[in-house]
Amino acid sequence: MIALTREPSASLPHGERTFRAREPIDLAVAARQHEEYRRVLSECGARVTALPAIDDLPDAVFIEDVALVLDEVAILFHMGVTSRREEPARTAAEIARWREVVTLPEGARAEGGDVVRLGRTLYVGRTGRTDGRGIAALGAVATPRGYRVVPVQVQGCLHLKSACTALDDDSLLVNPAWVDVAAFEARTIAVDPGEPDAANTVRIGSSVLLQAGCPRTLERVVAAGFAARVVDVGELAKAEGSLTCLSLLFEENGGRGAG
């Protein structure tokens, strides 16, 4: 498993905010939490690359949003907000080491945080960052390669992965307040109602990484048979970040391999 990450920028406190009030961010703490996150990914079997910070792009640490890396191809996105538009181009060369890169048309807006993959099904959130043209353009690339693209309406949160993430190829951890559970052809486990942000998890190797501060949801995940680890990214969460958006994860040999 390859994990592309990017170190937090000095301008992180000035990034986009949609659902959280702006508050002070301790950059030193954010950097330590990001380092610990990378360490845990490595312990779980990932080959981790830490790309250097881009200080003129505050949200570049949220590298997952720039692309979707499938087994056969990498799909480079056009981001949903102007301040992030340069991020994909400044990450493309690293992604191209591993996959052929296809870029969505300029008028199609999409972000990686809105794509949840279960096997050969891609659930794609319709949000303020991913629009209908983006979903259609993603389908035009993925469908001929054997994927099924299913649009999903999201409400009350930034991305689809804020509302649900895969625990394995058949199961999702879901916050039913932010997405309709009926949209999914999968087993669903609901987060504890008092822990709405807990649905964002990282599945890596035999482990599932959960955010710190969600003990009741952690109990539900463990009771369902999953090996869970807790990772604290609370300082990065102040910038509307979460566990999944801090890495771009994909299988090393899914495509053409390293070049």
Side-chain angles (χ1 to χ4, degrees), residues 26-44:
D26 188 320
L27 291 174
V29 173
R32 288 197 298 271
Q33 289 180 346
H34 195 268
E35 182 179 13
E36 175 65 9
Y37 173 82
R38 301 195 308 264
R39 185 188 68 79
V40 173
L41 291 179
S42 181
E43 286 184 354
C44 291

Side-chain angles (χ1 to χ4, degrees), residues 162-178:
S162 306
C164 70
T165 46
L167 297 171
D168 60 21
D169 281 346
D170 304 300
S171 308
L172 292 168
L173 184 63
V174 178
N175 179 349
W178 290 344

Side-chain angles (χ1 to χ4, degrees), residues 68 90 152 182 189 205 218-219:
L68 172 66
R90 292 168 78 168
V152 179
I189 300 169
L218 174 63
E219 290 178 358

Side-chain angles (χ1 to χ4, degrees), residues 51-222:
L51 300 174
I54 306 177
D55 285 339
D56 59 317
L57 296 177
D59 291 320
V61 66
F62 306 128
I63 191 171
E64 178 192 46
D65 290 327
V66 306
L68 172 66
V69 182
L70 299 172
D71 297 342
E72 305 82 4
V73 68
I75 303 171
L76 204 66
F77 293 138
H78 290 288
M79 311 289 281
V81 288
T82 302
S83 67
R84 304 194 66 186
R85 296 281 161 82
E86 292 185 32
E87 292 180 34
R90 292 168 78 168
T91 312
E94 183 64 31
I95 298 172
R97 294 182 57 226
W98 306 99
R99 298 287 195 277
E100 172 192 0
V101 175
V102 174
T103 303
L104 292 191
E106 173 61 35
R109 302 298 176 207
E111 295 189 359
D114 279 320
V115 184
V116 173
R117 177 180 175 180
L118 280 186
R120 305 294 288 186
T121 298
L122 305 177
Y123 292 103
V124 186
R126 191 185 302 274
T127 68
R129 301 293 181 88
T130 296
D131 59 20
R133 292 181 67 181
I135 296 172
L138 173 57
V141 177
T143 301
R145 292 171 169 84
Y147 294 88
R148 184 171 65 113
V149 174
V150 179
V152 179
Q153 189 63 45
V154 180
Q155 59 184 13
C157 61
L158 186 62
H159 287 129
L160 178 60
K161 280 186 175 174
S162 306
C164 70
T165 46
L167 297 171
D168 60 21
D169 281 346
D170 304 300
S171 308
L172 292 168
L173 184 63
V174 178
N175 179 349
W178 290 344
V179 67
D180 183 1
V181 173
F184 305 111
E185 297 176 9
R187 175 175 73 144
T188 58
I189 300 169
V191 301
D192 184 274
E195 299 169 350
D197 295 324
N200 185 270
T201 64
V202 171
R203 168 192 173 193
I204 180 164
S206 60
S207 298
V208 175
L209 310 184
L210 274 76
Q211 301 181 65
C214 304
R216 294 182 294 277
T217 300
L218 174 63
E219 290 178 358
R220 296 185 181 195
V221 171
V222 172

